[in-house]
Amino acid sequence: MKKNHPRLAIALISFLFLLSCKPKETTLDIRSANFGPNAVIEIYSLSGSKPLLTENLKNKPQSFKIKPNAPGYGRLVVNAEPRQQTEFLIYLDGNTYEISLDRDNIRQYPIAGSNSQQVKELLEFYTLQDSMSKENNKNLRIALKKTETAPRETIEISLKEYEEWQEKSKRTMTSVIQAFAKSYPTSMLTPILIDRFGSPESFAPEYKAIIKNLSAEVRESKEIQTLSKEIDRIARMQPGQKMAEINGKNPEGVPFNPRVLKSINVFICWTSYDAESRKANPDLIRLYELYKDKGVEFIGVSYDKHEKWWKTVIKDDGLSWPQYADLLGAKSPNPGNLSDYKSPYIFITDKSGIILSNNIPVSNLGFEITDWRSKAK
């Protein structure tokens, strides 16, 4: 009579299970053209900082194998010369992909076709992006070149034009994501697109509508739940909303009181240890002197933790407008409520604390103040 060996059977089953869970290798068959000798391709997991693959592009057929920890989205990064980096989303799932890279057409999505549903969706996204963004990207490049060559007397106008095209680029990308989500309401690529390419800080209502129209399964995913909470928070900082309460006191220990608000109020969120905040101060001082007696108030909200640093910079930089801080540092509610954790961050309100404009670059602040003053008259 044949004896059973339960331990051996369990071990065999365990081995087969582990074998079936073993990540499959993804093969990349790459054809590259017109790259210099130092061009490099890198493959990363979606959020990883350490490359899964780093290889030189040799302008001839090359084949590489990658074994990710689990199937999922990744990033294909091409470092061409001089100082040109291009990045695409890819999907690593154990299949073989043909990738065509051409230095003369580097923005074209490099995967021509695949049976993978995830890659088909990526192809659709990049096709939409190319068709909907082409004209805007062209104008953005022209505007950028103008800022590099503009004479001193017209540099502010050139910068304003460039920033307007940047904002149009964000709106166009929002439309691209909206079009993709409409075609693929069940795709888990949508939260990735919103997170990596979207601008909820500028178009929160549009992104709320995009999420609302996704399938129930996608809406209930952890990724979308996290994004929805962030977008709801950001929506509270949009023009037309009443600004959040400011937590903190001025250097004399007096809490912020909305009664200090004038017809137009420029809120500057900053920190004493941030180089960009300090760099902005000379321009802010110039604008404050220009508008302080014209119904405009500047109000600083610092995210500092160290009182001495805060007060020292106020004195050393000559910041004469009202300043407030709760000195809670990372534990302060102010960064999340007022500026999406950005510093420096500038927004404008009316006398009632209603946000008129937000996320304003210092270079554009003079135009914004002039515009809102004219509307307030």
Side-chain angles (χ1 to χ4, degrees), residues 172-187:
T172 300
M173 180 55 75
T174 300
S175 297
V176 171
I177 296 172
Q178 190 175 44
F180 174 85
K182 185 177 180 180
S183 298
Y184 296 93
T186 63
S187 175

PDB file of all heavy atoms in Angstrom, residues 172-187:
ATOM      1  N   THR A 172      -5.669  72.832 -20.751  1.00  0.00           N
ATOM      2  CA  THR A 172      -5.705  71.853 -21.840  1.00  0.00           C
ATOM      3  C   THR A 172      -5.498  70.451 -21.308  1.00  0.00           C
ATOM      4  O   THR A 172      -6.199  69.509 -21.711  1.00  0.00           O
ATOM      5  CB  THR A 172      -4.628  72.189 -22.890  1.00  0.00           C
ATOM      6  OG1 THR A 172      -4.872  73.491 -23.426  1.00  0.00           O
ATOM      7  CG2 THR A 172      -4.646  71.182 -24.025  1.00  0.00           C
ATOM      8  N   MET A 173      -4.544  70.274 -20.383  1.00  0.00           N
ATOM      9  CA  MET A 173      -4.308  68.950 -19.810  1.00  0.00           C
ATOM     10  C   MET A 173      -5.533  68.474 -19.037  1.00  0.00           C
ATOM     11  O   MET A 173      -5.870  67.277 -19.057  1.00  0.00           O
ATOM     12  CB  MET A 173      -3.080  68.962 -18.907  1.00  0.00           C
ATOM     13  CG  MET A 173      -2.777  67.612 -18.263  1.00  0.00           C
ATOM     14  SD  MET A 173      -2.595  66.263 -19.466  1.00  0.00           S
ATOM     15  CE  MET A 173      -0.973  66.644 -20.135  1.00  0.00           C
ATOM     16  N   THR A 174      -6.214  69.382 -18.365  1.00  0.00           N
ATOM     17  CA  THR A 174      -7.452  69.024 -17.679  1.00  0.00           C
ATOM     18  C   THR A 174      -8.468  68.485 -18.684  1.00  0.00           C
ATOM     19  O   THR A 174      -9.143  67.479 -18.430  1.00  0.00           O
ATOM     20  CB  THR A 174      -8.034  70.247 -16.951  1.00  0.00           C
ATOM     21  OG1 THR A 174      -7.084  70.718 -15.991  1.00  0.00           O
ATOM     22  CG2 THR A 174      -9.336  69.908 -16.244  1.00  0.00           C
ATOM     23  N   SER A 175      -8.547  69.115 -19.854  1.00  0.00           N
ATOM     24  CA  SER A 175      -9.470  68.653 -20.898  1.00  0.00           C
ATOM     25  C   SER A 175      -9.049  67.293 -21.442  1.00  0.00           C
ATOM     26  O   SER A 175      -9.899  66.456 -21.768  1.00  0.00           O
ATOM     27  CB  SER A 175      -9.524  69.678 -22.036  1.00  0.00           C
ATOM     28  OG  SER A 175     -10.026  70.918 -21.576  1.00  0.00           O
ATOM     29  N   VAL A 176      -7.748  67.066 -21.549  1.00  0.00           N
ATOM     30  CA  VAL A 176      -7.242  65.767 -22.020  1.00  0.00           C
ATOM     31  C   VAL A 176      -7.651  64.661 -21.046  1.00  0.00           C
ATOM     32  O   VAL A 176      -8.168  63.604 -21.448  1.00  0.00           O
ATOM     33  CB  VAL A 176      -5.706  65.798 -22.172  1.00  0.00           C
ATOM     34  CG1 VAL A 176      -5.155  64.397 -22.451  1.00  0.00           C
ATOM     35  CG2 VAL A 176      -5.284  66.746 -23.290  1.00  0.00           C
ATOM     36  N   ILE A 177      -7.428  64.898 -19.750  1.00  0.00           N
ATOM     37  CA  ILE A 177      -7.786  63.899 -18.735  1.00  0.00           C
ATOM     38  C   ILE A 177      -9.299  63.683 -18.709  1.00  0.00           C
ATOM     39  O   ILE A 177      -9.786  62.557 -18.566  1.00  0.00           O
ATOM     40  CB  ILE A 177      -7.263  64.339 -17.350  1.00  0.00           C
ATOM     41  CG1 ILE A 177      -5.728  64.375 -17.358  1.00  0.00           C
ATOM     42  CG2 ILE A 177      -7.757  63.396 -16.248  1.00  0.00           C
ATOM     43  CD1 ILE A 177      -5.106  64.970 -16.107  1.00  0.00           C
ATOM     44  N   GLN A 178     -10.046  64.757 -18.885  1.00  0.00           N
ATOM     45  CA  GLN A 178     -11.506  64.665 -18.914  1.00  0.00           C
ATOM     46  C   GLN A 178     -11.969  63.792 -20.083  1.00  0.00           C
ATOM     47  O   GLN A 178     -12.849  62.929 -19.926  1.00  0.00           O
ATOM     48  CB  GLN A 178     -12.087  66.072 -19.043  1.00  0.00           C
ATOM     49  CG  GLN A 178     -13.583  66.173 -18.862  1.00  0.00           C
ATOM     50  CD  GLN A 178     -14.028  67.625 -18.890  1.00  0.00           C
ATOM     51  OE1 GLN A 178     -13.576  68.413 -19.731  1.00  0.00           O
ATOM     52  NE2 GLN A 178     -14.880  68.000 -17.952  1.00  0.00           N
ATOM     53  N   ALA A 179     -11.353  63.996 -21.269  1.00  0.00           N
ATOM     54  CA  ALA A 179     -11.721  63.213 -22.452  1.00  0.00           C
ATOM     55  C   ALA A 179     -11.351  61.744 -22.275  1.00  0.00           C
ATOM     56  O   ALA A 179     -12.115  60.844 -22.642  1.00  0.00           O
ATOM     57  CB  ALA A 179     -11.027  63.783 -23.688  1.00  0.00           C
ATOM     58  N   PHE A 180     -10.173  61.493 -21.677  1.00  0.00           N
ATOM     59  CA  PHE A 180      -9.757  60.110 -21.438  1.00  0.00           C
ATOM     60  C   PHE A 180     -10.708  59.419 -20.466  1.00  0.00           C
ATOM     61  O   PHE A 180     -11.156  58.292 -20.706  1.00  0.00           O
ATOM     62  CB  PHE A 180      -8.330  60.054 -20.885  1.00  0.00           C
ATOM     63  CG  PHE A 180      -7.915  58.676 -20.483  1.00  0.00           C
ATOM     64  CD1 PHE A 180      -7.402  57.790 -21.420  1.00  0.00           C
ATOM     65  CD2 PHE A 180      -8.065  58.235 -19.172  1.00  0.00           C
ATOM     66  CE1 PHE A 180      -7.053  56.491 -21.063  1.00  0.00           C
ATOM     67  CE2 PHE A 180      -7.717  56.945 -18.803  1.00  0.00           C
ATOM     68  CZ  PHE A 180      -7.205  56.071 -19.760  1.00  0.00           C
ATOM     69  N   ALA A 181     -11.015  60.087 -19.359  1.00  0.00           N
ATOM     70  CA  ALA A 181     -11.883  59.492 -18.335  1.00  0.00           C
ATOM     71  C   ALA A 181     -13.276  59.207 -18.881  1.00  0.00           C
ATOM     72  O   ALA A 181     -13.914  58.226 -18.487  1.00  0.00           O
ATOM     73  CB  ALA A 181     -11.958  60.413 -17.120  1.00  0.00           C
ATOM     74  N   LYS A 182     -13.748  60.033 -19.800  1.00  0.00           N
ATOM     75  CA  LYS A 182     -15.055  59.807 -20.406  1.00  0.00           C
ATOM     76  C   LYS A 182     -15.046  58.541 -21.263  1.00  0.00           C
ATOM     77  O   LYS A 182     -16.023  57.775 -21.279  1.00  0.00           O
ATOM     78  CB  LYS A 182     -15.454  61.013 -21.254  1.00  0.00           C
ATOM     79  CG  LYS A 182     -16.844  60.918 -21.834  1.00  0.00           C
ATOM     80  CD  LYS A 182     -17.211  62.179 -22.608  1.00  0.00           C
ATOM     81  CE  LYS A 182     -18.612  62.076 -23.195  1.00  0.00           C
ATOM     82  NZ  LYS A 182     -18.977  63.307 -23.948  1.00  0.00           N
ATOM     83  N   SER A 183     -13.934  58.298 -21.971  1.00  0.00           N
ATOM     84  CA  SER A 183     -13.823  57.108 -22.821  1.00  0.00           C
ATOM     85  C   SER A 183     -13.537  55.846 -22.018  1.00  0.00           C
ATOM     86  O   SER A 183     -13.923  54.749 -22.416  1.00  0.00           O
ATOM     87  CB  SER A 183     -12.720  57.307 -23.868  1.00  0.00           C
ATOM     88  OG  SER A 183     -13.017  58.378 -24.730  1.00  0.00           O
ATOM     89  N   TYR A 184     -12.852  56.004 -20.855  1.00  0.00           N
ATOM     90  CA  TYR A 184     -12.454  54.843 -20.051  1.00  0.00           C
ATOM     91  C   TYR A 184     -12.855  55.049 -18.584  1.00  0.00           C
ATOM     92  O   TYR A 184     -11.989  55.233 -17.715  1.00  0.00           O
ATOM     93  CB  TYR A 184     -10.939  54.625 -20.149  1.00  0.00           C
ATOM     94  CG  TYR A 184     -10.458  54.278 -21.533  1.00  0.00           C
ATOM     95  CD1 TYR A 184     -10.028  55.281 -22.408  1.00  0.00           C
ATOM     96  CD2 TYR A 184     -10.428  52.961 -21.982  1.00  0.00           C
ATOM     97  CE1 TYR A 184      -9.591  54.968 -23.688  1.00  0.00           C
ATOM     98  CE2 TYR A 184      -9.984  52.638 -23.253  1.00  0.00           C
ATOM     99  CZ  TYR A 184      -9.570  53.654 -24.100  1.00  0.00           C
ATOM    100  OH  TYR A 184      -9.140  53.332 -25.362  1.00  0.00           O
ATOM    101  N   PRO A 185     -14.149  55.062 -18.291  1.00  0.00           N
ATOM    102  CA  PRO A 185     -14.597  55.329 -16.908  1.00  0.00           C
ATOM    103  C   PRO A 185     -14.190  54.257 -15.904  1.00  0.00           C
ATOM    104  O   PRO A 185     -14.233  54.508 -14.699  1.00  0.00           O
ATOM    105  CB  PRO A 185     -16.121  55.407 -17.052  1.00  0.00           C
ATOM    106  CG  PRO A 185     -16.425  54.602 -18.276  1.00  0.00           C
ATOM    107  CD  PRO A 185     -15.280  54.826 -19.203  1.00  0.00           C
ATOM    108  N   THR A 186     -13.788  53.078 -16.385  1.00  0.00           N
ATOM    109  CA  THR A 186     -13.396  52.006 -15.461  1.00  0.00           C
ATOM    110  C   THR A 186     -11.884  51.881 -15.323  1.00  0.00           C
ATOM    111  O   THR A 186     -11.401  50.977 -14.653  1.00  0.00           O
ATOM    112  CB  THR A 186     -13.947  50.650 -15.946  1.00  0.00           C
ATOM    113  OG1 THR A 186     -13.362  50.339 -17.232  1.00  0.00           O
ATOM    114  CG2 THR A 186     -15.456  50.681 -16.065  1.00  0.00           C
ATOM    115  N   SER A 187     -11.134  52.797 -15.927  1.00  0.00           N
ATOM    116  CA  SER A 187      -9.673  52.673 -15.938  1.00  0.00           C
ATOM    117  C   SER A 187      -9.036  53.194 -14.658  1.00  0.00           C
ATOM    118  O   SER A 187      -9.333  54.304 -14.198  1.00  0.00           O
ATOM    119  CB  SER A 187      -9.089  53.434 -17.125  1.00  0.00           C
ATOM    120  OG  SER A 187      -7.676  53.422 -17.070  1.00  0.00           O
TER     121      SER A 187
END
